[in-house]
Amino acid sequence: MISGKFAITTHILTLLSKFPGEFLSSEFIASSMNLHPVLVRKEIANLKKKFIVESKEGKNGGTRLLKSPSEISLDDIFKLTFDEVTLGYSKNEPNPKCPVGKQMNANLEALYKDVNSTISKQLQAITLEDFSNKF
């Protein structure tokens, strides 16, 4: 299902790209999004595991980008936050004796596969640098 993780992660990385080489505190990043810093730290931890950002503790600590914004596509960010988009399935298993019910989940699966392919192609064409230049 769709969540706000893509938006949060994109916001974090866009903000970091606007301050190249600087370590930004989670409080500063959180204030930009009106989120609690703990939620920001959770997403930063995921980005650290993927070697997109680095962090340091202490008075002058914070987080900064490890990669150039031109090397990060929005599709890369999307794949950090989702395996794939799904708009969901019925809570109950459809009736296999119904001409619609017996094919509903297979048809939805094919639709979601096409949607994901389209999203991926569009996001591959946009780098974090391209996106950041809008601000």
Side-chain angles (χ1 to χ4, degrees), residues 1 4 12 17 23 26-29 33 42 48-49 58 71 83 85 90 93 103 106 109 111 113 122 129-130:
M1 293 299 283
I12 291 168
S17 76
F23 284 92
S26 55
E27 289 80 10
F28 176 80
I29 296 168
M33 293 186 274
K42 183 177 175 185
K48 281 176 63 175
K49 288 180 198 170
E71 297 174 349
D83 290 325
V85 168
S90 176
E93 193 65 33
Q103 297 178 55
E109 183 108 9
L111 173 66
K113 186 175 180 179
Q122 186 168 357
E129 180 178 55
D130 298 331

Side-chain angles (χ1 to χ4, degrees), residues 107-121:
N107 285 319
L108 285 173
E109 183 108 9
L111 173 66
Y112 298 159
K113 186 175 180 179
D114 288 345
V115 166
N116 280 285
S117 177
T118 300
I119 289 171
S120 185
K121 285 178 190 169

Side-chain angles (χ1 to χ4, degrees), residues 22-91:
E22 291 185 42
F23 284 92
L24 302 182
S25 72
S26 55
E27 289 80 10
F28 176 80
I29 296 168
S31 72
S32 177
M33 293 186 274
N34 284 323
L35 283 179
H36 195 281
V38 170
L39 295 173
V40 170
R41 285 187 206 98
K42 183 177 175 185
E43 294 308 316
I44 288 172
N46 185 40
L47 293 169
K48 281 176 63 175
K49 288 180 198 170
K50 305 293 183 177
F51 304 102
I52 306 295
V53 301
E54 68 175 330
S55 296
K56 71 176 186 175
E57 295 181 18
K59 183 179 176 184
N60 296 317
T63 302
R64 71 177 178 181
L65 278 175
L66 277 175
K67 291 182 158 188
S68 167
S70 65
E71 297 174 349
I72 303 169
S73 74
L74 293 190
D75 189 52
D76 295 332
I77 298 169
F78 180 76
K79 288 177 178 162
L80 290 171
T81 58
F82 290 101
D83 290 325
E84 58 182 26
V85 168
T86 178
L87 301 175
Y89 295 92
S90 176
K91 187 169 116 176

